[in-house]
Amino acid sequence: MAAADRLDLPAVGERQSLREQVAQALRAALIAGEMRPGVVYSAPVLAAQFGVSATPVREAMLDLAKEGLVEAVRNKGFRVTELSDRDLDELTELRRLIEVPTVARLAGTMEAAAFERLRPIAEEIVVAGEAGDLLAYVDADLRFHVELLALSGNARLVSVVRDLRNRARLYGLSQLSERDALGDSAREHLALLDALAGGDGEAVARLMDEHIGHVRGIWAAHAGS
């Protein structure tokens, strides 16, 4: 593989199974836009980049195919699934319907300390955003939103939102980073925590709605570029 075609993939270690680690790394690369829609990726080539055998990579790609993130291409590899504007609009609508009221209800119903425990992750997002580290940004952003929603006590809801976020890959992140605007998006997480800790449900709902809307705006800007 030519140097220009190499993906910015994190290393894999031993704490999880190789299959799980590879799947997690590939999800991050998909969400950050490192792996491009319509492009076919070969399991052996990706395995060489990870420094592992092709088997766990192929298994991980099959897991991603079940999630709708990629599709198998016979005798070639896996193609990243493309999303239309309508797909993105529908995913955004679903996120708004689920996340905005769920997070808003948390305000005033939990101790501020519960939200403060998420502040280190929010700060990770800011650091990654200001550094333009897309994969670190995506990883911390997903952890933040999943752990925030987990405070609702609804595991099924968390699973649904995780799936929606995985499917709605942030295609425009790299362009946002190039415009030095990723830090602005990252700081929205801190403002959200402040509103939650203050028990201001209306502000929380507004901030969540705006945050999800900004994500859709990133996609729109990317599609029009």
Side-chain angles (χ1 to χ4, degrees), residues 119-131:
R119 193 168 294 273
I121 304 178
E123 291 170 349
E124 280 184 51
I125 299 171
V126 173
V127 170
E130 292 178 344

Side-chain angles (χ1 to χ4, degrees), residues 186-204:
R187 281 185 285 275
E188 293 176 355
H189 300 82
L190 293 172
L192 178 62
L193 287 180
D194 290 339
L196 282 163
D200 190 341
E202 290 187 6
V204 170

Side-chain angles (χ1 to χ4, degrees), residues 18-31:
L18 281 178
R19 174 178 182 164
E20 292 171 338
Q21 290 182 83
V22 170
Q24 183 176 348
L26 292 175
R27 284 190 194 95
L30 280 162
I31 295 168

